[in-house]
Amino acid sequence: MLCPCADKKESFVLYQSDKKNNKNNEIDVRCTSETHNKPTLYKCKKCNLIFSEYLNFNFEEAYTNVKDEKYIQQISFKKKNFDLFYSKIKSFLNKNHKVLEIGSYYGVLGNIIKSHVKNYTGLELSKHAAEYSRKNFMLNITNEPLNKFFQKNILFDVIIMNDVIEHLDNPFEALNLIEKNLRPNGILIFTTLNMDSIVPKIMRSKYHWIMPMHKYYFSNSTLRYFLKANNLDIFKIKSDTKLVSVEYLLFKLCILIPKIDFIFKFLLKFNFIKKIATKVNLFDLNIYFAKKIK
């Protein structure tokens, strides 16, 4: 398979899938997806980009129709998680900034940010999530594809993508559009997994973040390469600690380790578990800060 990057170089099979999803509509693209079948992953022989066998599948319609009730049930914990995330990015935000969040989902981060900046806009494909954000958080949410939105040529001081770039149908086009819609010295803040970190190297094809809805898998070096090609320079990288409910963590472990899921299911019977939050950091997820090059 040819690499989707500009050079279109040959790739090789990095990890072979042992299960197949044959149709686009079988892939669960919710944030709280219960589908963890591993797709075949390819790696470019030149740029080292890793990408999925579902590279040419268009997920846009699937994202448009997403209704993630399990995420809504976890909103209180999501707020705690995004409070932690905000504490790591707040030094790059101020009352003079015009901010865009790509993939704003149910508006939890936007609700935290909006009072600290001049103007906040959320861009979200899910109609359900966009409406929830407007109704519950009074956010300015645009429900349309990224390339259509950027045709408006609105300039932003800061653009944020939280766990989004690995889902995009065309992240290279997205980076190009982001750069064009950032003011001089504007900042892109985004999160994604680092395939060169220890955990994915140890777990290899069993790595928990390899899933059908993730199309692209980056390393620090591939991200620097693709951002630099789009006039963006990574100047800071921070580890992205997540704060999740123990209930949700056990739910995920049931899916990831089915051979001992009876242990996790037993623990889930205790109601007090639902009230506990825990920090998780395997040092495989990063927050990247990139500045538009003059």
Side-chain angles (χ1 to χ4, degrees), residues 140-163:
N140 174 30
I141 305 294
T142 299
N143 180 221
E144 62 186 11
L146 183 149
N147 57 350
K148 182 178 179 182
F149 174 80
F150 278 135
Q151 289 175 6
K152 300 170 185 177
N153 297 316
I154 304 171
L155 294 180
F156 295 92
D157 300 287
V158 180
I159 295 178
I160 299 170
M161 294 194 297
N162 198 284
D163 300 339

Side-chain angles (χ1 to χ4, degrees), residues 213-270:
M213 65 176 173
H214 290 167
K215 287 190 172 187
Y216 298 90
Y217 301 80
F218 301 93
S219 64
N220 290 353
S221 59
T222 56
L223 284 169
R224 288 186 189 279
Y225 175 80
F226 290 117
L227 267 73
K228 188 174 182 180
N230 287 283
N231 201 38
L232 295 163
D233 178 52
I234 294 176
F235 65 90
K236 185 183 287 289
I237 301 174
K238 292 184 178 182
S239 182
D240 187 15
T241 301
K242 300 291 186 182
L243 195 150
V244 300
S245 71
V246 173
E247 179 189 23
Y248 183 69
L249 181 61
L250 291 172
F251 162 74
K252 282 292 187 181
L253 289 172
C254 285
I255 299 169
L256 292 168
I257 318 174
K259 290 184 179 180
I260 57 170
D261 66 353
F262 63 93
I263 298 175
F264 309 128
K265 288 178 179 177
F266 172 75
L267 293 173
L268 283 168
K269 292 180 180 180
F270 297 95

Side-chain angles (χ1 to χ4, degrees), residues 164-223:
V164 168
I165 194 169
E166 64 271 17
H167 297 258
L168 295 175
D169 287 334
N170 191 333
F172 317 108
E173 178 189 19
L175 289 173
N176 181 264
L177 291 170
I178 285 169
E179 189 274 337
K180 285 180 169 57
N181 286 268
L182 274 174
R183 295 185 189 278
N185 294 315
I187 294 175
L188 167 65
I189 302 173
F190 67 101
T191 64
T192 192
L193 53 97
N194 173 19
M195 290 296 278
D196 271 352
S197 57
I198 293 174
V199 172
K201 283 188 172 183
I202 292 174
M203 297 184 70
R204 296 176 62 80
S205 62
K206 302 296 183 183
Y207 182 44
H208 48 276
W209 289 122
I210 298 176
M211 56 179 64
M213 65 176 173
H214 290 167
K215 287 190 172 187
Y216 298 90
Y217 301 80
F218 301 93
S219 64
N220 290 353
S221 59
T222 56
L223 284 169

Side-chain angles (χ1 to χ4, degrees), residues 41-53:
L41 296 189
Y42 298 85
K43 187 172 184 177
C44 179
K45 293 179 180 178
K46 181 179 180 181
C47 71
N48 293 319
L49 176 69
I50 298 170
F51 55 95
S52 166
E53 65 180 296

